[in-house]
Amino acid sequence: MQRLTCLAVFFFCLLAATPLQAQKLKDAYIDIKEKTLRKEYSNLAMLPVVAASSAHAPQAIIERIAAQVREIMEDEDFTLLPPEEVAAIRAEFAALYSEPSAAENQAAIDEHTIRELFYRHPVDGLLTVQVLPVGAPFRDDKAEWAGTSQKIEHEGDGFFGTLMGTDYGGTIAASAIRVIISDRAGRPLYNWMGGVEVMMMRKGESLEPLPPEALWQSDKRVVKAVKYALKPL
Amino acid sequence: MHRVGLPSLLLALLLVAVPGGAVAKSYKPINEIPGQVPETEEEEAVWQVGIAHQEEVRGSDELVNDAALERYLESIVARLMGEMVQTIGLEVDVLVFRDPSVNAWVYPNGTVAVQTGLLAAMDNEAQLAAILGHEVSHFLNRHAFIQIKSKQTQSAIGKGLGALAAIAVAMETGTVSTGLLDSGQIWTDLVTSGYSRKLETQADEQGLQMMIAAGYPPEEALPAFEELRIDEDDEINISKVWSSHPDIDARKKNLKKQIKKAKVSGNSAGLDGAAYLRAVQLGVLANSQLLVQDRDFEEAIASLEQFTSAVPDKPTGFFLLGEAYRKRTPEGDYEQRVTAYRQTLAVNDGFAAAWRELGMAQRQQGRPAEAGAAFSRYLELAPDAADAPIIAWYRDRLGAAQ
C-alpha cells in the first residue's frame, strides 16, 4: 500500500491505475445459457458446503448458507439431492481406512465418493458451495467486490492524515460465497460469487486481520452474498 | 497485499526511456563474430535474465525433463545449425515445457524452448525443424536483445512494464534482480511477444534456408506454420508468442515465394511421422494429459488416436485414451473405453490402473462377473494402492450381488 501525493497520483493514474481495475473476480463466469441450465441440469446433487479454514466461518453460519442455497435453488425449480447423501457415501468409504485423513487416502475417498454418487443417482450434475477468502480491491478505505462493498475500518492516520484525508489503494482480504454448478464430467457451467465482508482493517499504512470473533456477525451480509451468488439464476 | 512502489515505477520509466538512441546500431550475427557476443554489459545483462529463468525452471515440474527427448530435439537444432555450432562454440540446449499451446521461443544465449503443444501439433520432424530453424535464426541474429533495445524507445506504459523495468534495472546495474524476475512468463511476455515483422520475416527466411541446408523438404514449413494460426474459438491457442507474429497467411505467402526461389528437389529428411511420434512420445503423452486436465477432450482423443496408431507398443497411450473417453462422457463411450483399456493390457498385462478402470466400466455396464475379476486383478497388482480398500469394497459388493 502506498501513500499517494498529488504528483504521485498523476503518475499513478498514468501508469498503474489499471491493475486495480483488473483485480475483479475474473474467475467468476457462467458458461451456459440460463435456459439450458434449467432444462438440462435441473436435477443436482448438492455437496456439503466447503469452508476454507482461513475464512473463519462458524458451523452455524455454514449451515445457514447451505439452508439458504437449498431454499433459493428449490424456489427456482431445481431438484436437489441433499448433501447428506454425499456425506453418507463419503463416510462409508472413509470407514474402510485406518487413516482416512492421510492425504493420499483422502484423495481416493473424494474421487470415489463422486463416482459412486453418480453410479447410484441419475443426477445431472453437482452443486458446490464454497466459503472462501478472496482479494478485494479497495480505494479510499472502501472495498468493492463480488456484488458488494464495505468501508474499511481504520485507525492511526494521525492528526494530519485525519485532517487531509487519505488515499490508499490495494487489495484487501475479504470473504465470499462461491456457487459452482458442474456437469457429470466435472465441467463447470456456472461459477459465481457473492461477497460477504472485509476480513482486515487498516492501521496507518498497514493492513491487519480482524479477529475471527469480529467476523460473520451480520446475517444481512450473509443473506445478501448468497442471493448475489445465485442471482444469475 | 499488493504494494505499488511508485519510486521504482518512475525509475523504470526513466531507465527504459533514456537509452533509446542505440537502436539504430546494426548488430552482426553471432556466427560472424564468434566469441564476441554478448558484446556489451547491456547485452550480457539480457543474457543473464534469460539464463536466470532457465535455471529457475530446469528440473522443475514445468519441464518434461526427459534426457532422451531433449537429446533428440538438440540433434535437430545441431543439424540445422551445421558447422555454426562449432564456429560459435555453442552447447546446444533444448528445454521442453509442459504447456498445450503451440509455442516455442529462444533465449538470448541460444537455449531453445519448445512447448509440448508444439511437439504434438507437428506431423513430423521436418515440420518441427521449420519452427526450430526460425527460433535458431532469432538467436543467431540476436533478435531478443535488438527487440528489447527497440522496446526501450517505446512508451513504457502498459503491458510489459514490469518486465521492461526488470531488464532496464539489469542493464543499468549489470546484475539480475531475482525479485523482479520471479515471473516465469518474462520471455513469453517480453522477448517473444513482440518481435517486429521485419525480424520475424528474417527468422522465417533464414530458418527456411537452414531447413533446406539440413536436408529437410522446405514445403513442410507450410503446414508447420499453419499450426500456428490462431483459432479465435481456441483460447489455449491464443498464445502470447504467435499472436503477435505477422499474420500466418502473409508469412506462408512469403515462404512459398522463398521455396520457389530456392528450387530444392530431393530433400526428404524427417518425413516419417511414426518415427517422429516415437521420438517425441513423452512430450506428446505429457501434452495429452494436459489436454485432459484442461477438458479439451476432443483434441486429446485425436492426438492419442494418432499416437497409439503410430506407437502401438506404448501402453500409457492407450490408457490415456481410455481416460479421455471416460472423462469426456462418464456414462458413455463404454465400448471405446473398454477397448482402450484392453489394448493397454494387451501391451502390458501388469498395468494396474487399466484393470481398475476396466472393472469400473464393466460395473457401470452391468457386467458384475467381469468387473469383479478385473478388480481382483487390480488388487493383486496394486495391493497397497490408496484406493485398494474401495476397490475391494466394489468387488465384494459385486460378489454379494451375484
Side-chain angles (χ1 to χ4, degrees), chain A residues 17 70 92 98 128 146 190-191:
Chain A
R70 281 178 73 170
E92 198 170 357
S98 56
T128 307
Y190 176 103
N191 180 340

Side-chain angles (χ1 to χ4, degrees), chain A residues 158-177:
Chain A
F159 175 74
F160 286 108
T162 307
L163 188 69
M164 303 293 287
T166 55
D167 184 3
Y168 293 97
T171 305
I172 192 165
S175 51
I177 295 166

Side-chain angles (χ1 to χ4, degrees), chain B residues 12-260:
Chain B
L13 180 64
L14 288 171
L15 287 172
V16 295
V18 170
V23 180
K25 183 180 182 239
S26 66
Y27 295 93
K28 284 189 177 172
I30 287 177
N31 53 308
E32 289 180 18
I33 46 171
Q36 293 178 46
V37 180
E39 279 187 302
T40 61
E41 283 185 6
E42 278 184 338
E43 192 168 11
E44 172 67 27
V46 172
W47 278 45
Q48 288 306 322
V49 172
I51 289 166
H53 184 234
Q54 291 163 52
E55 285 170 358
E56 187 186 316
V57 297
R58 214 177 282 276
S60 75
D61 289 345
E62 283 190 60
L63 303 183
V64 173
N65 290 313
D66 179 64
L69 175 60
E70 287 169 9
R71 272 200 305 276
Y72 169 68
L73 298 172
E74 284 158 8
S75 74
I76 302 172
V77 172
R79 180 174 181 161
L80 287 163
M81 293 182 71
E83 288 176 0
M84 283 188 283
V85 175
Q86 281 74 40
T87 309
I88 298 166
L90 180 74
E91 198 173 315
V92 179
D93 188 20
V94 178
L95 301 176
V96 183
F97 281 76
R98 292 177 191 272
D99 192 311
S101 49
V102 181
N103 205 352
W105 69 91
V106 69
Y107 291 92
N109 69 332
T111 298
V112 177
V114 300
Q115 295 188 171
T116 52
L118 176 75
L119 297 180
M122 299 294 106
D123 289 335
N124 55 43
E125 182 181 308
Q127 290 184 9
L128 183 64
I131 305 299
L132 295 178
H134 172 96
E135 297 304 333
V136 167
S137 176
H138 279 316
F139 158 65
L140 292 173
N141 294 294
R142 302 154 74 185
H143 285 173
F145 179 60
I146 292 171
Q147 189 64 20
I148 286 167
K149 292 291 286 180
S150 169
K151 275 179 180 276
Q152 282 180 296
T153 63
Q154 299 168 8
S155 167
I157 300 169
K159 193 182 169 192
L161 179 67
L164 279 170
I167 300 291
V169 170
M171 284 180 170
E172 184 69 13
T173 62
T175 58
V176 177
S177 164
T178 52
L180 288 165
L181 298 171
D182 56 0
S183 165
Q185 290 299 311
I186 187 162
W187 290 104
T188 49
D189 280 355
L190 173 66
V191 177
T192 56
S193 68
Y195 287 127
S196 69
R197 184 174 287 246
K198 189 179 159 192
L199 300 186
E200 291 297 353
T201 304
Q202 184 186 14
D204 283 355
E205 292 178 2
Q206 189 177 11
L208 191 76
Q209 290 306 319
M210 283 193 279
M211 198 186 165
I212 292 167
Y216 294 109
E219 297 78 16
E220 289 301 307
L222 300 173
F225 277 76
E226 183 58 35
E227 286 295 334
L228 307 175
R229 189 185 294 280
I230 295 158
D231 179 351
E232 286 178 2
D233 297 328
D234 182 359
E235 285 182 21
I236 290 174
N237 204 24
I238 301 175
S239 79
K240 297 172 261 329
V241 176
W242 296 100
S243 60
S244 62
H245 282 202
D247 81 85
I248 297 297
D249 287 329
R251 295 174 77 179
K252 282 177 69 181
K253 196 176 166 189
N254 182 47
L255 283 172
K256 275 182 195 167
K257 206 169 105 187
Q258 300 298 321
I259 292 167
K260 202 174 166 187

